Structure formats: structure tokens, C-alpha cells
Amino acid sequence: MKYAAAKKITGILLISSLLLSGCQLSPSPAARETAADVSQVETPSLPPGEKLKSAFSDARIPGMIGIARNDALQLLINEETAEIAVIHNQSGQIWRSNPADREKDGIAAGINKDLLSAQSRLSFFNSSGQSSMVNSYTDSTRHKQVSYEALPNGVRVHYQFGSTERSIEDLPVKLSKERFEQNLLAKLDKSGERALKVGYAEDKDEGVYVRIDKAMQGLQLTRALKAFEDAGYTEEDLAQDNAEHGIEHERSGPRLFMLTMEYELDGEQMLVRVPASGIHFPEEYPINTLSVLEYFGAGGSKDEGSILVPDGSGALIHFNNGKLQYPSYQQDIYGPDLTMKLREASSNESKARLPVFGVIRPEGAFLGIIEQGDAVAMVNADISGKLNSYNNVYPSFYVVNKSDITLQSSDMVRTLPKFQNKPTSSDFVVRYAFVGAEQASYSGLASLYREHLLSTGGLPEMQADQKPAGVPFYLKLFGGMSTRQHMLGIPYNSTEALTTFEEGQTILSKLMEKNVSNIQVRYAGWFNDGLHHRLPDSIKVDSVIGGKKGMKAFSEYTSGAGIGFYPDMAMLNVQSKKGFSPSKEASRTLTQEPAILYPMDPALQRRAKDLSASYVLSPNEINEVTTDMLKDLKPLQAGGISLKDMAEQLNSDMNPKKLLDRTQALDTVRKALDQIRQQAGSIVAEGGNGYALPYVKGLTDAPMTSSRFKLEDEEIPFFQLVVHGNISYTGSPYNLSTYTDARQYVLKLIEYGASPYFAWFNAPNHVVKETDYNNLYAANYEQWIDLAADIYKEVSQVNLPFKGQSMIAHEAVAEGVYRTTYEGGGYVIVNYNDFSVEAENHKIEALSYVTGGGQQ
């Protein structure tokens, strides 16, 4: 008994010391700095602003004053509500930040109704890690806590959220049934009773009334505060109720937040900026996410239109599709940050590769391009009929992330929040581009985005016409794999050859004999112990597949045969601890553990912790690793490089001593990609995140589908419409994909203008059985090479005329029938049906296609 008591006391002391020591888990003042002022903790007062001068007006938008205009656009604002409107001069389309008829919405109520009038929303944490929300209408403009400054081509809006007035913290979390009914309800009129009955729920088992925090927002909170005041409820009463129910109550400072938003016309587009220097929050209430213009261009319940979301290759959500039972759309741009303990994405969920979103209506459309803060951005969308009567899409941004740490000693367990040490350092900038009816389609918006990327260096130059070379045939060869062996009962790691360089030459020779041309080879598992290689800060070619001499011979062979040779390497995921210090070189999670990643088990849809894990390399190490890698790669004369993960994922480092948030990590990755392109030559990469596009020649495992979320209605090739002609691309290797029908695969490649792709090794299939490489069970080349040659012949014949041309349009012309059109007028129509169809003046046979137009 004494030992058990001692353990319990020790546990109490342990937790107490952690809470009181320098390991304190609530944010320190330094942790709450803004990008503008490192030492700032106090929230500044609302800037005085100025009275805006009306430059013009428009009778279609009463109550708004014109503040900027040019040949393409007009920008207006309502000084009372801070809502804006943009008039697209060519089409006459009016795009509003908030629905004009929102007051008539019969579905929205309470806070959901208020949000229709807001331009921004902040979610924030308290010191216990609980999340709450404020918005620019309920907590700012309605209380006239907004001010304005004129800009040369627009306006700057300052919001103050909250006030020094009483808050929800002035209301008890629990009251006994007797005190609630006799000391409060009995002293109130009907409206006061109603206010408290909405804000509190009776727990009959405990005999108490419990505060409903979700109901205590906006006007309802004001009414509840007034009811308590009318009943004569005092600070002493609050202390008594908290003590009675064991609730620790520490009054924090006022929940005051400041936010600045800027609207400026930039030619035919509008820039919306939230400067990091204009975001302020109290030390006790770190901002988690910031949402911008949630209802810009929102479509009503009787409107026609669609929402464009960047899910995988792209997807459309049709207005008012009636899918009320399904969750809203929400995806992080560039996929999850692997240092964060976020929702586990399904293995078949496609990533959002491009930082875009949009709304398409018959009379016009807009495209939102997230230009700054894209690395911490999320795109959100939903349909009418759930919370309100509108279909909307908008971006939000992570400002301060949170994780949980569990303290345990004996029978005591306590979970405490751990916050990001500094807020995101970037401004948040969204460019809104507008088109009229003639371009109001996903093809039109893709063309708009493509032009934007070309004008800003976001895409490589159009590839020179090399039609005689054929379309690319992508091939991934697996060199060696590390396996667990035993000698005299002692285990050791060994590298086993799957494809030597000589065997690789044989495979390529056989492919060329079958008239496969323009082969692009990604050679994986060639150095530092095979597929799960060591960090590439030094490179040693594995002797088991031919060593340095064999690699040079392979390089000479491929160069002479006109084959692209791209040695593959993982830069961001460290797959072996040999020569690597996780405590020093790995990214840290918010709980200060080295970030570790296990492979996904596709059958169980979760991480397989029995397989070999990899560590997430800190972005602080990328520059040095890249420099060392390029130095060692140069003598090998490969002429190119294949990057497994630099265009596929993006991770931060939450180590407080050298914190790099995801926006800062993006800058580091961009510099590394530029350095690799300049020194290693051509780059082929997996994935295709938007920031990597300027640096690559080709992409494998590019998005060829969406995630097919239940809310979505159409899967579209938005990604392909943007990059075709500048970057060659393909999806997953056919023999390792979910395709069970080669015909469907061929039709997809033709519809999407993509290249064939296979992944092979020379060894028999059984060598990977019961290893970490079970997923490669179908990769022996001999069973696939004839099919690969047949697929290449057909796809190359159809796609070759369009090589190096931009894809200008894609549309569904009938059920299961799609037309893809290229510059110059050439087109292909693909029929996925198992019966022939008549479409576009063509008869298209079952599971077939026709071509026409201006192709040569």
C-alpha cells in the first residue's frame, strides 16, 4: 500500500513539475509572436482608418461605393458590412463576397446565418486545446470594429474580433439543478428563461445544467450574459459554482484578435491578401486556421453551376446536387504534412496537387489561385441544403498547429495540448481571375491557369517537337533490395539484386526490338543498399547490381540508344538509419519526436508498422544533402535524375530551435529543385505538386483520377489541361495499378494524353515474397513485355500527333464518351461503353476511339 501511494504521489509531482517547469506546454509569450513583431504579445488597437471616397457607383449594387476600376474590372465595397463586389466588365457578371439575398435564406440560422455576412473566420484554441471560432461579421463589423485605408488600386480593411466586454468565460460551465432553476430561471422573464434554456442542457443523471458552448455564440451569447446579469449573478456566484463542481477557472486576457485584408485589382484579376503582419492574437488564444471569403461567388439553391476542386486530376461538384448525407469537401494542398498527426488519408485518396479552386456558371466563372501560403492552405467546398442555401468554395490556412501530448504515471493520465512554437510566417494571397460565358468551363479555367503559370515561370517552356522519337514510354527498373539474412543464427542485412545493370540493358534491348521508342528509365535501388537506401549525402553504387563500372556502362548504352536514364533517389524520406541521426537530422513533430512514416497497408487502409519505416528529413538539412548528392552524382555521368519524393510531399520541422514551417520548407525545396536541374540535367519526378512543375521534364505517378469523394459529381483532367505539351506525364505503372483491364488503361492514356508506364525487375516474382517489397509481386518483366509493346504501339500512334501541343479542351459529349481537343484543332473522342455510339458526327465503336481535326 505504501509503495502504491508513493507511486501515486510521484505521478502527481511529475505532472506538476512538467506543468510548472520550462517544459510548460501552454504557449510562451515568444511562441505567440507575429511575423511583423517578434516580441509582440499585446493585441494592438484597431487602426483609426479613413473615410473612403467613392470614385464611382453602380445602380445594380446599391449601398456600395466604387473604389477601384480598370478596363477589365470594377471593385466596390460596402463600408457598413465590409462586403465587396467585383464587376467583370466584359460579361457584366457581378461577383460578391457575400450572397446578396442571404437575409432570405430559410435554412441558415444562428451562427450559420451570421457566417453568410462574414469575409473571414478564425478558429482558435484556448490553453486546454479546445477550439472556438470568431468571424468578421458576428465579432467585428456588427459591432463597428472595422476600419479602412485606401490603396492605389483597392482597399485595406482592418478587423477587430471580440472586445474587452464580458465573454463566455463569465458564465459557469455547470450549475446545480437547484441553483439554475431557483437562483436564475425564477428571477427572469420569458426571454431570459429562453436564453438560458438554449445555452444550457440538463444532465439528469448528475442533477446539473451544463453549458452548451456551441450555442453560446454571437447574439445568443449576448442574450445569455444579459440574463445572468438580470438575475443578479455575480463573480462570487461564478467562483462558488466552479468550486462546487471542481472546475479550475483562470481568467485569461481579453479574446481580442486583429486581422487585415487587402483587395487590389491587378489587370484582369483581383488580389486578396492577408498580410502576416496584420494577424494578431492573444498569447492564450493561438489562431489555428484562417478562412478567406467563404461565400465569394456562392451559388444559390436555384442557380446553375459547378464548383471546381483540385482533388487529384480535378473534380466538379455540381450546385444543388442533393448529396446532403455526405461530408463537405476538404483537402490540404500538396497533401498532408508528415510531421503533423493529422487525419490518416486513405491510400486511394488522390492529393490536391495544384493550389486552385473555382466556380463555373453559365454566364461566367472565376478561378482562385493561391499564390502565397499555398503550402499551408486547404480548399473547402460544400453544397446547399446543409447549413444554408448556398454552394460555396474557399481557401483556409493553418496559422498555428496543435498536437496532444499524454502524461502518464501509475493510474494518472492527462492529455495536454502542444502548440506550434511560431505562427506561419507567410502572407496569405489568393488571386481571383474572371472569365465570361465563352470560357466558363473547366477547360477555360485550366487555360487561364496555364497562361498564368507560363507568364510567371510556373511551367517549363514548351518541349521541342520530337515526333519521330515517339511518345515517351516510362519504365521503372528495380535494382536491388535489402533483405534480412542469417549466418550461424546471427541476423544481418544484405542487398539482393533484382535487376543488374547488364540485365537492365537486356530488357531495354528487347523493348527496342519490339519497336518501343523514346524510353525513359527510372532506375530505383541502385545505391546505398538498394530500394530502402541510406541518405544520399554520399553515394556508393551497389556492387551487387554492377557497381560504379556497371552504371557507367549502362549510362553509355542508354545515351547511345537515345534512352533517358534517370537514377532514382528519395531525398525527403530517409529509409535507413545507417549514417543518419534521427535526433539531429529528422524533422520533429509538435511533440518533439522524430517524424517517422510507415508504409500504407492497402488492405487495412492504415500504416503497416511491421514494415520498414522511414524518417522525414528536416528541411533544414535539404540544402546540404542536395549539394553533397550532386557532388557524388557528377562522376557517374547519368545525364539526369529521378526524384521519388521532392515533387510528391512537403514537410515542416517543428523543432523549436530551428523551426521551419511548411511555407519556409517550400522555399528550401524550390531552391534544391533549381540546383538539381542546373547541375544534374533533366528531372523526372513522382507526383507533380505545383511548385515542382517549373523544374521537371517528366512526371510519373501524376494524378490520373480524383479521389471520387461522394460529394463530387465529375472527374476531370484539369491537371492534364494545364501541363500537357510542357511536361510529359503518366500515372501509376500499369502492372502495379488497380487496373484489371488493359483496354481501359489504353483508353485512359488516350483520353488524358498520357504515356504508358511499367515497373519491372529481372528476378523471378517469388524473390519479393514475404519481404518489405511484397507490393512488387507482379513486376517480373517477362510476363508484361509483349503487352507493354502492344499498348505503346497503339497509344503512340494516337498521341504522337499531339505531342508538344497544349490541350485546350475536354468535355463529356455523351455518357461514357469524352472528347479531348488540342491546339491546331486535332482531337480524339474516346468511348468507354461496351457498345458503339454516335457522337460529334462520328460512329465510335465499343471501347474504342476516333481522331480528327488538324493533326498531322
Side-chain angles (χ1 to χ4, degrees):
M1 292 294 291
K2 288 182 180 178
Y3 176 67
K7 281 177 65 180
K8 189 167 186 177
I9 292 169
T10 302
I12 293 170
L13 291 174
L14 172 63
I15 292 177
S16 299
S17 64
L18 280 168
L19 293 176
L20 296 173
S21 70
C23 296
Q24 184 177 351
L25 296 174
S26 58
S28 65
R32 292 298 150 248
E33 64 202 26
T34 65
D37 186 351
V38 175
S39 63
Q40 180 171 329
V41 174
E42 294 296 327
T43 303
S45 58
L46 183 70
E50 60 189 68
K51 182 71 175 176
L52 296 175
K53 296 179 181 178
S54 177
F56 59 94
S57 61
D58 192 295
R60 292 171 294 176
I61 316 177
M64 288 198 178
I65 61 172
I67 51 174
R69 60 181 170 184
N70 55 34
D71 291 341
L73 301 173
Q74 301 176 62
L75 176 63
L76 302 93
I77 192 168
N78 184 318
E79 285 187 281
E80 293 296 317
T81 63
E83 61 188 299
I84 65 155
V86 180
I87 301 176
H88 183 242
N89 292 336
Q90 181 187 10
S91 64
Q93 180 81 356
I94 299 173
W95 297 96
R96 296 173 176 268
S97 61
N98 305 91
D101 56 352
R102 57 189 180 274
E103 293 302 324
K104 300 177 183 177
D105 190 334
I107 298 176
I111 194 65
N112 292 320
K113 188 119 183 179
D114 285 2
L115 285 171
L116 294 174
S117 298
Q119 293 83 46
S120 62
R121 172 166 51 154
L122 308 176
S123 70
F124 62 91
F125 298 118
N126 62 17
S127 58
S128 299
Q130 297 167 320
S131 181
S132 298
M133 180 195 72
V134 289
N135 69 78
S136 65
Y137 172 71
T138 308
D139 305 281
S140 183
T141 56
R142 195 169 68 180
H143 301 291
K144 303 196 181 304
Q145 294 174 173
V146 60
S147 64
Y148 304 93
E149 292 179 56
L151 296 174
N153 296 300
V155 64
R156 178 180 293 124
V157 185
H158 300 286
Y159 297 97
Q160 177 179 298
F161 300 79
S163 69
T164 56
E165 298 173 359
R166 291 182 304 153
S167 70
I168 195 171
E169 289 187 347
D170 294 285
L171 301 180
V173 177
K174 289 183 180 181
L175 298 97
S176 68
K177 176 179 172 67
E178 180 182 359
R179 282 176 61 78
F180 184 81
E181 294 178 350
Q182 295 181 12
N183 290 25
L184 292 174
L185 294 184
K187 298 179 180 180
L188 296 173
D189 58 17
K190 294 294 185 184
S191 62
E193 286 184 24
R194 188 164 53 251
L196 294 196
K197 287 180 178 179
V198 169
Y200 284 82
E202 183 180 2
D203 184 333
K204 294 183 178 179
D205 293 336
E206 286 192 34
V208 297
Y209 278 81
V210 182
R211 190 177 72 198
I212 308 171
D213 287 3
K214 288 186 177 180
M216 290 292 199
Q217 299 187 50
L219 185 59
Q220 182 54 44
L221 174 59
T222 303
R223 288 171 176 166
L225 286 166
K226 184 177 186 303
F228 273 88
E229 182 181 352
D230 291 345
Y233 194 81
T234 65
E235 285 280 347
E236 290 74 19
D237 290 324
L238 179 62
Q240 178 183 335
D241 287 320
N242 286 332
E244 181 180 339
H245 299 287
I247 294 170
E248 298 177 9
H249 185 67
E250 295 181 9
R251 287 303 307 270
S252 303
R255 294 195 311 188
L256 287 174
F257 303 87
M258 283 288 300
L259 181 72
T260 297
M261 292 181 66
E262 298 173 355
Y263 306 94
E264 283 196 281
L265 299 185
D266 181 20
E268 299 179 359
Q269 297 155 359
M270 176 181 69
L271 286 177
V272 178
R273 179 186 302 272
V274 179
S277 59
I279 303 172
H280 303 275
F281 51 89
E283 173 186 349
E284 301 92 342
Y285 299 109
I287 295 175
N288 177 220
T289 61
L290 181 158
S291 300
V292 175
L293 298 184
E294 293 192 22
Y295 292 94
F296 186 84
S301 57
K302 296 182 180 179
D303 293 333
E304 291 183 28
S306 297
I307 296 167
L308 167 69
V309 293
D311 174 20
S313 62
L316 296 179
I317 301 169
H318 297 324
F319 285 4
N320 313 308
N321 64 17
K323 299 179 180 181
L324 306 182
Q325 70 273 37
Y326 299 124
S328 60
Y329 169 86
Q330 186 177 85
Q331 272 192 307
D332 291 339
I333 299 298
Y334 309 141
D337 183 338
L338 298 181
T339 64
M340 300 294 169
K341 293 181 179 179
L342 302 174
R343 174 182 62 87
E344 186 73 85
S346 166
S347 61
N348 56 12
E349 179 178 322
S350 298
K351 294 181 181 177
R353 300 289 185 189
L354 302 177
V356 296
F357 59 93
V359 166
I360 302 166
R361 298 186 178 200
E363 62 273 20
F366 81 78
L367 180 71
I369 304 168
I370 306 171
E371 290 195 332
Q372 291 184 50
D374 48 324
V376 292
M378 189 168 30
V379 171
N380 314 265
D382 212 347
I383 57 167
S384 67
K386 293 181 179 180
L387 302 177
N388 54 58
S389 301
Y390 298 96
N391 307 271
N392 66 314
V393 61
Y394 63 95
S396 56
F397 303 89
Y398 294 103
V399 180
V400 174
N401 287 285
K402 178 189 80 82
S403 187
D404 293 314
I405 187 167
T406 301
L407 304 177
Q408 183 171 359
S409 179
S410 184
D411 58 344
M412 295 188 64
V413 178
R414 186 171 182 185
T415 300
L416 297 170
K418 177 65 176 170
F419 298 102
Q420 184 174 322
N421 190 248
K422 298 178 184 178
T424 299
S425 62
S426 173
D427 292 353
F428 304 127
V429 180
V430 184
R431 179 180 295 272
Y432 290 83
F434 307 93
V435 296
E438 71 286 349
Q439 270 190 281
S441 65
Y442 60 84
S443 297
L445 294 185
S447 176
L448 190 67
Y449 186 47
R450 176 187 176 84
E451 290 168 8
H452 171 75
L453 291 179
L454 288 171
S455 67
T456 57
L459 276 177
E461 293 298 317
M462 187 79 75
Q463 293 180 6
D465 189 6
Q466 298 174 342
K467 290 180 182 177
V471 302
F473 177 90
Y474 282 96
L475 176 63
K476 186 175 186 178
L477 289 177
F478 298 105
M481 66 174 181
S482 46
T483 58
R484 197 75 164 163
Q485 304 289 342
H486 292 80
M487 178 177 287
L488 301 177
I490 301 173
Y492 67 96
N493 289 327
S494 174
T495 303
E496 182 175 346
L498 294 173
T499 311
T500 67
F501 287 120
E502 283 189 6
E503 290 166 346
Q505 287 188 38
T506 300
I507 293 172
L508 295 177
S509 296
K510 290 182 178 180
L511 269 175
M512 289 189 294
E513 288 172 5
K514 296 178 182 296
N515 297 315
V516 176
S517 60
N518 199 7
I519 303 170
Q520 307 293 312
V521 179
R522 298 179 60 211
Y523 212 117
W526 59 277
F527 76 107
N528 290 9
D529 302 334
L531 290 171
H532 286 176
H533 60 74
R534 303 192 311 273
L535 191 67
D537 53 352
S538 65
I539 292 176
K540 181 178 183 297
V541 185
D542 292 332
S543 58
V544 71
I545 64 168
K548 188 174 180 180
K549 184 177 179 181
M551 183 173 180
K552 283 189 174 181
F554 186 82
S555 181
E556 290 173 2
Y557 167 79
T558 54
S559 178
I563 295 171
F565 172 37
Y566 301 91
D568 184 68
M569 61 180 63
M571 298 283 290
L572 306 184
N573 293 155
V574 184
Q575 300 164 111
S576 169
K577 285 203 296 183
K578 192 182 291 186
F580 175 76
S581 172
S583 63
K584 295 179 181 178
E585 298 171 288
S587 282
R588 296 290 184 91
T589 66
L590 282 168
T591 55
Q592 298 310 300
E593 302 162 314
I596 192 166
L597 180 68
Y598 290 92
M600 181 70 77
D601 185 324
L604 299 177
Q605 292 292 297
R606 66 181 183 217
R607 297 294 176 185
K609 296 198 173 182
D610 57 331
L611 298 181
S612 298
S614 57
Y615 287 92
V616 177
L617 180 70
S618 168
N620 289 288
E621 305 293 328
I622 290 175
N623 179 57
E624 184 177 350
V625 171
T626 300
T627 300
D628 292 342
M629 178 272 292
L630 290 170
K631 181 180 177 181
D632 279 15
L633 187 66
K634 188 174 181 180
L636 301 176
Q637 302 172 353
I641 191 170
S642 167
L643 297 175
K644 180 176 176 59
D645 47 26
M646 289 192 81
E648 160 68 20
Q649 60 180 250
L650 182 63
N651 307 306
S652 58
D653 186 352
M654 290 291 114
N655 187 335
K657 295 180 180 178
K658 50 181 182 179
L659 186 146
L660 282 184
D661 65 48
R662 213 176 183 213
T663 64
Q664 295 166 321
L666 176 54
D667 292 337
T668 302
V669 169
R670 279 197 177 113
K671 290 175 184 175
L673 286 168
D674 188 48
Q675 184 181 1
I676 293 169
R677 180 184 59 176
Q678 291 185 36
Q679 297 184 34
S682 299
I683 297 175
V684 168
E686 278 190 22
N689 285 344
Y691 56 80
L693 298 183
Y695 309 101
V696 300
K697 174 186 178 183
L699 290 170
T700 69
D701 304 273
M704 294 287 286
T705 67
S706 70
S707 303
R708 298 171 182 167
F709 295 128
K710 297 290 188 180
L711 192 69
E712 297 171 352
D713 295 291
E714 282 188 55
E715 183 176 87
I716 60 173
F718 187 89
F719 185 93
Q720 286 71 21
L721 284 157
V722 172
V723 307
H724 191 279
N726 296 75
I727 301 169
S728 62
Y729 51 84
T730 183
S732 302
Y734 172 72
N735 58 306
L736 300 181
S737 72
T738 56
Y739 277 100
T740 57
D741 183 352
R743 193 64 196 157
Q744 294 288 330
Y745 178 69
V746 167
L747 294 178
K748 189 74 167 185
L749 296 182
I750 291 172
E751 181 197 357
Y752 276 36
S755 295
Y757 183 31
F758 284 79
W760 294 337
F761 53 66
N762 183 76
N765 282 327
H766 68 78
V767 300
V768 298
K769 189 176 181 181
E770 296 180 359
T771 72
D772 283 355
Y773 313 99
N774 261 325
N775 61 313
L776 306 182
Y777 67 94
N780 174 265
Y781 84 95
E782 291 179 309
Q783 68 192 90
W784 298 106
I785 191 167
D786 290 335
L787 175 63
D790 291 341
I791 288 175
Y792 180 77
K793 179 180 179 181
E794 184 172 10
V795 172
S796 183
Q797 184 177 358
V798 179
N799 288 354
L800 181 59
F802 310 125
K803 186 181 173 189
Q805 295 183 358
S806 59
M807 185 186 291
I808 61 172
H810 178 274
E811 60 183 326
V813 295
E815 185 70 28
V817 183
Y818 301 91
R819 172 180 170 134
T820 305
T821 307
Y822 296 86
E823 63 176 314
Y827 63 85
V828 58
I829 304 174
V830 176
N831 176 21
Y832 285 92
N833 297 297
D834 56 6
F835 51 85
S836 64
V837 297
E838 297 279 346
E840 302 279 295
N841 298 317
H842 291 281
K843 181 179 180 181
I844 310 156
E845 297 299 331
L847 299 172
S848 189
Y849 49 84
V850 296
T851 61
Q855 83 273 15
Q856 301 299 315

